[in-house]
Amino acid sequence: MARTRLSLRRLLAAGLTVVATAAAALFVTAAPASAATVPGIDVSNWQGSINWTSVRNSGIQFAFIKATEGTSYKDPSFNTNYPNAYYAGVIRGAYHFARPNLSGGAAQADFLANNGGAWSADSRTLPAALDLEANPYSGGYCYGLTTSGMRTWISDFLNRYKARTSRYAVIYTTTSWWNQCTGSWTGPWANHPLWIARWASSPGTLPAGAPVWSFWQYTSTGSVSGISGNVDRNYWNGDRSRLIALANNTA
């Protein structure tokens, strides 16, 4: 995701089994391999200037775009990328990089919602994603929180985002981080789509209790027309009509 963390994530990726799913009742019923039919990307300020028309013409149908981090950082490219993706016909969603050791989950959900991460039923806006991964800063792999503390933090974020937007946020994570830092918590998967991060040929083992993945980030070294350099590539676990249903909350 955010390229300030790129080197750490590459070191971790080889040993991390994946993450990222959605509730089966909400959108996905097909087997993961056969249903991964819709290509997408995720981007941040790291990618620089993006030609979104070229991105769409290359076949990319959706994008998660970094909006915020903690309660004080807004990605400087968000205000350009978010509308430009929309007008190019790319189904877009914002994402928030969690900093659980800096402030509460509800405060960070408010910061996201106030800075571009809200939602509208326009066929091109996905519910925002909460990016939960190994801490790239000081404070420990799990941000210094106990498993119960992490569960509380995540619950506070998800509940506030739902109250602010009426939508269940997507959760981006890896299986190893989730199982270690939340104590293999199964609570969110009844409603929240899973976006699994695993740079490999398959999504692999999902976090505890997750029945299926909705999005899969399968590489950090993808190439897409309209973007200079590497970009994260993703799949949606379903066809375009199901992705639009998720965007419009009609799934």
Side-chain angles (χ1 to χ4, degrees):
M1 306 284 277
R3 283 311 185 275
T4 55
R5 309 185 303 284
L6 185 59
S7 59
L8 175 63
R9 292 178 57 204
R10 281 179 174 162
L11 289 172
L12 292 171
L16 294 179
T17 49
V18 185
V19 177
T21 281
L26 288 178
F27 352 104
V28 184
T29 56
S34 62
T37 58
V38 178
I41 57 175
D42 62 87
V43 301
S44 69
N45 188 57
W46 178 264
Q47 272 69 45
S49 179
I50 296 175
N51 184 325
W52 284 99
T53 298
S54 294
V55 168
R56 182 67 187 93
N57 289 343
S58 73
I60 296 299
Q61 297 191 43
F62 70 90
F64 279 102
I65 299 169
K66 184 171 184 180
T68 50
E69 182 170 324
T71 56
S72 61
Y73 177 84
K74 182 172 181 178
D75 189 282
S77 295
F78 179 79
N79 285 349
T80 299
N81 283 331
Y82 205 60
N84 286 355
Y86 176 94
Y87 290 121
V90 176
I91 301 169
R92 84 280 164 85
Y95 79 84
H96 173 83
F97 183 72
R99 301 287 301 277
N101 56 334
L102 298 185
S103 55
Q108 293 194 27
D110 280 333
F111 187 67
L112 170 63
N114 292 339
N115 287 278
W119 172 78
S120 57
D122 53 23
S123 298
R124 294 186 197 167
T125 303
L126 295 166
L130 173 61
D131 178 357
L132 291 162
E133 57 182 273
N135 183 8
Y137 309 109
S138 61
Y141 183 75
C142 298
Y143 299 86
L145 273 64
T146 63
T147 55
S148 61
M150 185 63 74
R151 292 183 187 190
T152 297
W153 192 97
I154 295 170
S155 292
D156 288 348
F157 182 100
L158 298 176
N159 291 339
R160 180 62 64 87
Y161 185 78
K162 177 70 161 52
R164 290 289 305 270
T165 68
S166 79
R167 298 303 310 272
Y168 292 107
V170 175
I171 298 174
Y172 170 98
T173 192
T174 65
T175 296
S176 59
W177 186 92
W178 184 268
N179 289 347
Q180 177 175 336
C181 296
T182 73
S184 298
W185 186 34
T186 62
W189 306 128
N191 297 305
H192 295 273
L194 171 60
W195 179 7
I196 188 168
R198 187 174 191 243
W199 304 338
S201 60
S202 71
T205 303
L206 302 183
V212 67
W213 59 271
S214 291
F215 298 96
W216 168 27
Q217 184 191 77
Y218 63 90
T219 184
S220 65
T221 57
S223 177
V224 172
S225 178
I227 298 177
S228 299
N230 293 336
V231 64
D232 296 337
R233 294 289 303 256
N234 299 269
Y235 282 124
W236 158 251
N237 192 359
D239 62 21
R240 181 177 173 84
S241 68
R242 300 304 293 161
L243 184 60
I244 292 173
L246 172 60
N248 283 338
N249 202 23
T250 57

